[in-house]
Amino acid sequence: MNDTPIRRSVHAYFMQRALELAGRGWYTTRPNPRVGCVLVKDEAIIGEGWHERAGEPHAERAALADLERRGGSARGATAYVTLEPCSHTGRTPPCVDALIEADIARVVVGTQDPNPRVDGQGVARLRAAGIDVVTGVLAERCAQINAGFNQRMRQGRPRVRVKLAMSLDGRTAAANGESQWITGDTARDDVHRLRAESGAVMIGRGTLVADDPSLSVRLAGEWPQPLRVVLDSHLEISPSAKLLGLPGDTLVFTASGDRTRIQALQAAGARIEQVGTRGAGLDLAAVMALLGEREINDVLVEAGPTLAGALAQAGLVDEYMIYMAPTLLGDGGRSLLKLPGVQTLADARQLVVDAIEPVGADWRIRARPKRSEDEGD
């Protein structure tokens, strides 16, 4: 059948199902992308699969295994895949080989894989094998579910999301410094889910001293724990900090070469990474590049106004997750971000608000820095 509106609607229908399957690996696939696959023959689904975690079968092979359990055949079927099938051997064999061997007739792809080891090569190999390939079906949705992975592949650094909690008048703490808790239980649970889907959670030394946080996911059931990242230019973190005594890894970035302090923190369980400085603090771009090398797709920053502002000034914030409580703290409270370069309205940093949603008694605002491509918004 030609590429008619009806056929495009059929493709979108089955790709939407593949997206739903990809979402089942939302918290578990990192550092790999989230991928879903649906096998269809005679307009009926004959096999389904999704990638669950790194080192385990990719979505295409999982769908073929599901088809085999059902006793069906893939010959002449169509595979709907949210991400271009891989064409290289990584933790698992190439998925294009499995699709070719199964005698699939058509592969419908949501979005191209930006991984340089794939990046169009999967589609090329399928077409070279005589398989009809359709691309770009629900492409924007398919790309969005892997925003962090895509950015790391293209830019060499993770997606950076800054989480902020504030009163209705934009304060993050009362005049006496008290900040726990501005928002309610539902909003805090939502933040724990953000932690679970992130490869790393980052704070500065100021937040560590003020709150002594654990940065762990504390929700009922089994949840993946992120890498805990602390930025501490002079390595003043105490070896008795709460997060050093918890299961999982803590990575401390510092400009200090103090061997005594380094050894004490290493003995307490921390990993130390030395980076250079830029301005009054660490070189934040270098920090993000190093996290990208560690295959971190998403960094959730839960910092105070100093680090949040520094990241904004460095152009390293990709998204703000702002939780707003229906309370007023007055002009004596602590501000949301430190942006010393903003003196006039012309200096203001413009944002694009993508969503405002109720979270219990609070509101969650999802926004991103306005880029040149957003001028029409």
Side-chain angles (χ1 to χ4, degrees):
M1 185 182 294
N2 295 327
D3 186 22
T4 64
I6 292 177
R7 173 50 58 187
R8 289 195 294 272
S9 296
V10 170
H11 287 338
Y13 174 83
F14 288 115
M15 188 62 72
Q16 179 58 41
R17 176 55 184 166
L19 277 166
E20 293 169 3
L21 293 168
R24 296 186 182 183
W26 194 263
Y27 299 100
T28 59
T29 65
R30 65 185 190 227
N32 288 356
R34 306 169 181 110
V35 186
C37 178
V38 174
L39 303 177
V40 175
K41 185 183 288 187
D42 299 325
E43 310 302 341
I45 293 176
I46 59 174
E48 296 184 329
W50 65 94
H51 182 46
E52 294 189 40
R53 54 185 56 83
E56 295 187 6
H58 288 187
E60 299 91 328
R61 290 182 179 273
L64 289 168
D66 179 49
L67 172 62
E68 184 177 355
R69 286 191 294 269
R70 299 187 191 196
S73 169
R75 182 184 297 271
T78 296
Y80 290 85
V81 191
T82 56
L83 185 69
E84 177 184 8
C86 62
S87 54
H88 66 286
T89 299
R91 295 181 177 91
T92 58
C95 290
V96 292
D97 290 352
L99 295 171
I100 293 169
E101 292 166 6
D103 206 10
I104 289 286
R106 179 186 294 113
V107 177
V108 180
V109 176
T111 187
Q112 188 166 311
D113 189 341
N115 186 338
R117 301 179 71 183
V118 185
D119 199 16
Q121 298 176 60
V123 167
R125 281 196 55 193
L126 291 170
R127 286 175 172 157
I131 295 175
D132 179 32
V133 181
V134 178
T135 61
V137 176
L138 300 187
E140 187 173 345
R141 296 186 209 172
C142 291
Q144 185 56 40
I145 64 171
N146 292 309
F149 172 83
N150 294 340
Q151 177 158 306
R152 178 168 67 86
M153 288 298 159
R154 293 189 177 111
Q155 299 183 24
R157 72 165 180 87
R159 177 175 61 155
V160 177
R161 295 188 292 178
V162 174
K163 188 277 294 184
L164 300 164
M166 69 177 190
S167 62
L168 194 60
D169 55 348
R171 304 299 173 179
T172 62
N176 66 354
E178 185 180 5
S179 62
Q180 297 180 334
W181 300 98
I182 290 177
T183 55
D185 292 343
T186 304
R188 292 198 294 277
D189 284 349
D190 196 62
V191 172
H192 281 282
R193 282 186 284 272
L194 286 178
R195 288 180 182 178
E197 68 183 58
S198 302
V201 178
M202 175 183 290
I203 60 171
R205 194 188 71 84
T207 298
L208 183 71
V209 171
D211 299 336
D212 194 21
S214 66
L215 302 184
S216 60
V217 179
R218 298 185 299 279
L219 296 170
E222 295 292 326
W223 293 82
Q225 297 293 336
L227 172 69
R228 300 181 292 267
V229 177
V230 180
L231 304 190
D232 184 357
S233 298
H234 304 294
L235 209 59
E236 296 171 324
I237 177 176
S238 169
S240 63
K242 184 191 301 181
L243 51 74
L244 294 178
L246 298 174
D249 295 325
T250 299
L251 176 62
V252 180
F253 285 97
T254 185
S256 173
D258 188 316
R259 294 307 306 169
T260 300
R261 291 180 178 176
I262 290 173
Q263 290 170 1
L265 289 171
Q266 288 175 332
R271 298 183 183 181
I272 309 298
E273 185 83 56
Q274 289 178 289
V275 294
T277 58
R278 178 169 292 186
L282 297 177
D283 185 338
L284 297 176
V287 168
M288 294 306 170
L290 288 167
L291 289 175
E293 292 177 6
R294 289 176 175 264
E295 297 187 306
I296 299 296
N297 294 330
D298 293 278
V299 174
L300 180 65
V301 180
E302 298 191 36
T306 300
L307 178 55
L311 287 165
Q313 289 182 302
L316 291 171
V317 179
D318 300 296
E319 190 171 60
Y320 294 94
M321 303 295 288
I322 304 172
Y323 294 83
M324 185 173 67
T327 186
L328 301 172
L329 290 176
D331 59 2
R334 187 170 62 178
S335 64
L336 196 64
L337 287 89
K338 286 186 178 180
L339 293 173
V342 177
Q343 300 296 325
T344 68
L345 286 177
D347 299 327
R349 295 176 179 269
Q350 302 296 325
L351 303 180
V352 175
V353 176
D354 290 319
I356 301 177
E357 302 170 275
V359 182
D362 307 305
W363 292 86
R364 183 182 64 206
I365 303 169
R366 185 164 57 85
R368 54 189 162 84
K370 190 171 186 177
R371 314 292 190 192
S372 58
E373 59 267 26
D374 298 314
E375 289 302 319
D377 290 359

